[in-house]
Amino acid sequence: MGLRVGLVAGEASGDLLGAGLIEAIRERVPDARFEGIAGPRMVAAGCRAFAQSERLAVMGLVEPLGRLPELLRLRHRLARYFLDDPPDVFVGIDAPDFNLALERKLREGGIPAVHYVSPSVWAWRQYRVGKIARSVDAMLTLFPFEADFYRTHGVPVTFVGHPLAESIPDRTDPQAARQELGLRGEGPVLALLPGSRLGEINRLGRDFLMAAAQLSEEIPGLRVIAPMASASARTAFEAQWQQVAPRLGLQLFDGRSHEVMAAADAVLLASGTAALEAMLLKRPMVVAYRLAGLTYTLLRRLKLMQVDRYSLPNLLAQMDVVPELIQDAVTPQALAAAVGPLLRDVAARERQLEVFDAIHHQLRAGGSAKAADAVLALARGQD
């Protein structure tokens, strides 16, 4: 029998990584077989799915607990299946709440286990690294600083790079993006991305809108645009718009965050993956980050949060490249003061873009091909 790989991927991002991994392994081992929990891309790439990736989307600290018993039963059945008929290697892709416990059980049963996409253990609750070390034979990371963290803690690790760095070109054309979006006028463009979740919008949306309104008064012809991740996000943001900045000229788009950022001269966004995409699109940015007050206080007092920088561009650069406004520092006046120079000053934009270029090339580390090599080396018992 040929190579057999067990897989569990969480949500759409994991499905994309899983499909790339399957295709890269198949290039090296054409008769390889794949099975586990998969999304539509992985199924299309040839993975036999016992369940869909979207079923894992409820895992997390603040997600509803109603389906937890079902997910625990699913994990138990999957572990029993693989232990009774062991694959050559198991790969858990993201979904750490589900995958790490499964990986540990399989590893204890003699099945080599890989975790692909590090949880943010380097940023908060670092004590989890001991559990990770006991659960996996190898960690595959998207970012180099994550690999450095695991090496420090004695966990076998391979930095494979980020798929977005492979798919986004070195340069994108803002004028072409503006034409695609149907933007009119000649003034500078500011993109607002207050987050995709309602909690993020509730904590940041009003400040973003008031900052944009202030900038619109200061900068003639400023065009303000914002992508909305869902109908509920749009409804919430529109309500805030009418409450705090009804005179602001603002154009909303359903989805299309990539095009909206590509069209912008500057981006004001919530800390998260959007900052990585804006960086790879070479768009100057200001990042804001605000947790619920009690959560932030507890994380700080219990010393569960262990980073001085929050945005991915600054973490990757290991220096302060983009302005970060955190918690109580997030005010309309402070946001406008940070964004204003990026809309007015070419030199301010170029200082960010020079660093973004270097990071972009660093993150092109091989992606799916490098991940496939690491998985196959483990499956074949190589160091």
Side-chain angles (χ1 to χ4, degrees), residues 190-205:
L190 170 64
L192 305 179
L193 284 87
S196 58
R197 298 180 178 89
L198 288 178
E200 292 174 312
I201 292 172
N202 289 335
R203 288 190 290 270
L204 293 172

Side-chain angles (χ1 to χ4, degrees), residues 48-351:
R48 177 188 173 206
F50 300 128
Q52 292 294 312
S53 294
E54 63 187 24
R55 290 181 65 183
L56 307 189
V58 299
M59 299 301 286
L61 289 175
V62 296
E63 299 295 332
L65 297 178
R67 290 184 53 229
L68 183 58
E70 174 197 347
L71 289 165
L72 292 175
R73 288 193 298 271
L74 174 62
R75 185 165 66 189
H76 176 76
R77 289 199 303 270
L78 198 62
R80 191 73 267 152
Y81 174 81
F82 284 134
L83 288 170
D84 289 343
D85 185 13
D88 296 286
V89 63
F90 174 81
V91 184
I93 304 172
D94 209 356
D97 295 315
F98 188 94
N99 274 327
L100 286 172
L102 177 60
E103 289 156 8
R104 183 172 182 179
K105 187 171 289 189
L106 297 181
R107 188 177 186 230
E108 289 172 349
I111 300 169
V114 179
H115 192 84
Y116 190 1
V117 183
S118 171
S120 299
V121 65
W122 42 268
W124 68 299
R125 294 195 294 156
Q126 288 192 6
Y127 60 82
R128 292 177 294 167
V129 73
K131 175 185 176 182
I132 292 171
R134 293 187 295 271
S135 301
V136 305
D137 294 285
M139 174 67 72
L140 307 182
T141 73
L142 305 185
F143 303 118
F145 66 83
E146 296 173 321
D148 293 340
F149 173 84
Y150 284 107
R151 290 190 193 100
T152 299
H153 289 84
V155 179
V157 63
T158 300
F159 162 55
V160 301
H162 201 288
L164 277 178
E166 306 288 346
S167 63
I168 294 177
D170 288 338
R171 285 287 179 270
T172 54
D173 183 357
Q175 292 300 332
R178 291 170 190 179
Q179 289 177 4
E180 286 183 37
L181 294 173
L183 292 185
R184 297 178 180 177
E186 297 298 327
V189 177
L190 170 64
L192 305 179
L193 284 87
S196 58
R197 298 180 178 89
L198 288 178
E200 292 174 312
I201 292 172
N202 289 335
R203 288 190 290 270
L204 293 172
R206 291 175 179 83
D207 291 305
F208 278 28
L209 287 161
M210 287 188 284
Q214 179 178 326
L215 289 165
S216 292
E217 293 178 359
E218 298 171 357
I219 301 174
L222 180 67
R223 294 171 286 174
V224 184
I225 57 179
M228 296 288 103
S230 65
S232 58
R234 181 172 184 137
T235 298
F237 197 58
E238 284 182 327
Q240 293 175 339
W241 178 16
Q242 295 309 311
Q243 288 168 5
V244 303
R247 297 176 61 187
L248 172 66
L250 172 65
Q251 190 168 352
L252 300 181
F253 296 90
D254 294 324
R256 309 191 75 177
S257 62
H258 183 100
E259 295 97 321
V260 167
M261 284 191 280
D265 293 291
V267 182
L268 173 59
L269 50 78
S271 182
T273 305
L276 175 69
E277 187 173 2
M279 182 194 72
L280 295 173
L281 288 167
K282 312 302 184 304
R283 291 300 175 264
M285 75 186 84
V286 171
V287 175
Y289 185 83
R290 182 185 278 151
L291 290 170
L294 179 59
T295 300
Y296 185 81
T297 300
L298 288 173
L299 289 174
R300 280 300 185 189
R301 285 186 178 175
L302 297 176
K303 297 183 179 179
L304 297 178
M305 186 179 291
Q306 288 136 328
V307 290
D308 296 320
R309 300 182 178 98
Y310 298 84
S311 68
L312 282 169
N314 287 349
L315 285 165
L316 288 162
Q318 298 185 333
M319 62 180 180
D320 298 327
V321 180
V322 307
E324 294 180 345
L325 297 168
I326 311 302
Q327 213 63 13
D328 293 340
V330 180
T331 67
Q333 295 75 20
L335 293 171
V339 173
L342 299 178
L343 293 168
R344 300 185 184 96
D345 184 358
V346 173
R349 291 196 293 272
E350 289 298 324
R351 281 192 292 271

